[in-house]
Amino acid sequence: MTVTGVSVGRPLEAPPARRFRLTLPILLAGVAALVVLLSIARVVTGANDITSGGTVSAALGLAVPIGLAGLGGLWSERSGVVNIGLEGMMILGTWFGAWGSLQFHSPWAGVIAGAIGGALGGAIHALATVTFGVDHIIAGVAINIVGLGFTQYLSKLFFDGMPGGGAKQSPGLPHMPTLSVPGIGEPLRTLEARHWFLLSDFAGVLRGITQDVSSFTILAILLVPLSFYALWRTAFGLRVRACGERPGAAESLGVNVYLYKWIAVLISGALAGLGGAFLSIVAAGIYRDGQTGGRGYIGLAAMIFGNWRPGGLAGGAVLFGYTDALQLRQGGTSVHALLLVVAMLLAAVAVYQLVRQRRNTAALITAIGAIVVFAVFAVTDTVPEQFTSFTPHLTTLLVLSLASQRLRMPAADGIPYRRGQTI
């Protein structure tokens, strides 16, 4: 029975909630707002290095290996294979990148060799997890251990006895070329040196991303949209993601699940190997034992922070790279100024939660956090050096704890799959 054409037998359904979409204008507006907050903190504290071109350039360089490791984790986990072995694959990439550069007297040969070395670790991980069904965490931890021991053996075998080399390091490596946007370097440097509110800060950011940028860095940046296109805009990417969501359904439609998992894990290892090669070829210009410093794990955290998406992953990598760069540029003073930025961000989030989301309890908790951070900023003049070195790792823990409730991993991620299963 209906009245004026409206059914009374069923309750009206609420309209679906609008899903937030990160578009380019929103992204640019967010970056501009963040620069404004950093500019305010710089003027208040006098920590001029928080927006300097040197800090931005260092942050970009430190973000690249984290981002490449995170991209590697993204490819693997989108296919349903958890890759804890990113650290070991990066370690292989550092050694093979250095060896390839020395062997063929070219940094680009080292880039290719680093990718192959990481892919070798990926092949071992795929053999263990995809083919033999070994627990993904156990296989990844084993790769981290084997990668470290294997490269130490190779260093003694190849680098020991070389001029400038040794059992734990290689000789100096060929230099990777850099690129700059011509004609704007000196004007931006002059404007940055005036320390004007906002204008000098934007000048510092632009100088950091346009001057003396490594060719390898540009390649790494291009891999982010390329990975997005491959995974979300191609039939190949759809099959890879289907293997990570519903492998049984994918197999019923004719997808060779084993093959696509193998390919994804190989790509994962190659990307992690590229991150390791960047550390030895570009960041240091030499291979050293223990060079990765846990960046494979931070890359994994950046991937989780980005909700298994390339854009969010890149943002997480930049965040961790920036906090790491601050300890190199007026460490204690810069990190102290960052506390004011964090307090302002938390206050803005509290207002958003209260006004737009109507989440009074969450807004209260966030506001209390803002007050606590501001109080720490107000009663201190600097941050101890021991704390500044721990800042990137602390940032990792805080970001993951705050973002954990809004994350969604692939449905079949980490679940061993055998042909014929219905998951």
Side-chain angles (χ1 to χ4, degrees):
M1 178 178 179
T2 61
V3 178
T4 65
V6 179
S7 172
V8 297
R10 295 182 303 175
L12 293 176
E13 295 182 359
R18 249 182 110 182
R19 185 179 177 185
F20 174 78
R21 292 182 64 86
L22 181 63
T23 60
L24 182 59
I26 294 177
L27 177 62
L28 293 177
V31 171
L34 182 59
V35 174
V36 170
L37 294 180
L38 289 170
S39 182
I40 294 172
R42 178 186 62 80
V43 172
V44 171
T45 63
N48 294 322
D49 267 325
I50 62 174
T51 56
S52 68
T55 299
V56 174
S57 178
L60 190 61
L62 291 166
V64 167
I66 296 173
L68 287 171
L71 273 182
L74 174 73
W75 274 89
S76 180
E77 300 212 7
R78 277 293 175 179
S79 72
V81 179
V82 173
N83 194 352
I84 299 295
L86 291 171
E87 179 77 6
M89 297 172 195
M90 285 190 76
I91 292 172
L92 291 171
T94 58
W95 190 91
F96 278 92
W99 176 84
S101 296
L102 292 171
Q103 190 73 17
F104 299 98
H105 309 287
S106 168
W108 289 110
V111 171
I112 297 172
I116 294 174
L120 176 63
I124 297 172
H125 192 53
L127 180 66
T129 58
V130 179
T131 303
F132 295 125
V134 176
D135 182 89
H136 298 187
I137 305 299
I138 294 175
V141 171
I143 288 174
N144 292 335
I145 297 172
V146 171
L148 179 61
F150 186 51
T151 52
Q152 288 176 344
Y153 166 74
L154 291 176
S155 296
K156 294 177 182 178
L157 188 63
F158 286 93
F159 296 150
D160 197 8
M162 285 187 176
K168 293 189 175 183
Q169 70 175 42
S170 72
L173 305 179
H175 181 67
M176 176 69 71
T178 60
L179 300 174
S180 299
V181 177
I184 65 172
E186 283 306 315
L188 288 175
R189 186 188 299 274
T190 302
L191 181 57
E192 179 189 346
R194 296 185 182 277
H195 301 308
W196 290 341
F197 175 71
L198 204 56
L199 290 178
S200 294
D201 301 289
F202 274 109
V205 172
L206 289 176
R207 188 170 72 86
I209 63 177
T210 60
Q211 303 299 306
D212 297 323
V213 180
S214 168
S215 305
F216 199 165
T217 300
I218 297 174
L219 171 64
I221 293 173
L222 292 176
L223 286 173
V224 175
L226 181 61
S227 293
F228 172 79
Y229 179 82
L231 284 171
W232 274 271
R233 293 292 184 268
T234 65
F236 168 76
L238 177 62
R239 294 187 183 103
V240 169
R241 290 186 292 118
C243 293
E245 296 287 350
R246 294 289 185 271
E251 184 180 338
S252 69
L253 295 175
V255 176
N256 189 334
V257 175
Y258 286 2
L259 176 62
Y260 279 91
K261 284 179 178 285
W262 258 91
I263 294 173
V265 178
L266 286 176
I267 295 174
S268 171
L271 289 169
L274 285 175
F278 183 92
L279 289 172
S280 58
I281 298 172
V282 178
I286 189 174
Y287 163 81
R288 289 190 180 92
D289 187 27
Q291 200 163 24
T292 56
R295 288 178 176 84
Y297 301 110
I298 299 178
L300 193 64
M303 178 204 67
I304 298 171
F305 164 76
N307 204 13
W308 288 266
R309 304 279 293 192
L313 179 158
V318 171
L319 172 64
F320 302 139
Y322 178 73
T323 55
D324 200 6
L326 287 182
Q327 64 176 313
L328 306 176
R329 315 280 300 189
Q330 288 186 326
T333 303
S334 297
V335 175
H336 182 256
L338 193 62
L339 292 175
L340 179 59
V341 178
V342 173
M344 290 187 289
L345 281 173
L346 289 175
V349 171
V351 173
Y352 177 80
Q353 291 173 331
L354 181 64
V355 176
R356 295 297 300 272
Q357 297 183 334
R358 309 293 183 183
R359 299 169 58 192
N360 297 338
T361 304
L364 178 61
I365 294 174
T366 306
I368 293 174
I371 294 172
V372 170
V373 174
F374 181 78
V376 173
F377 166 78
V379 301
T380 57
D381 296 324
T382 187
V383 174
E385 182 180 350
Q386 297 85 347
F387 181 80
T388 60
S389 62
F390 184 65
T391 301
H393 303 85
L394 180 61
T395 304
T396 303
L397 296 174
L398 289 176
V399 165
L400 289 180
S401 62
L402 292 174
S404 60
Q405 296 182 359
R406 301 183 62 87
L407 300 178
R408 181 199 174 276
M409 64 190 299
D413 193 18
I415 301 176
Y417 179 75
R418 297 269 65 94
R419 186 171 283 117
Q421 289 182 358
T422 58
I423 61 172

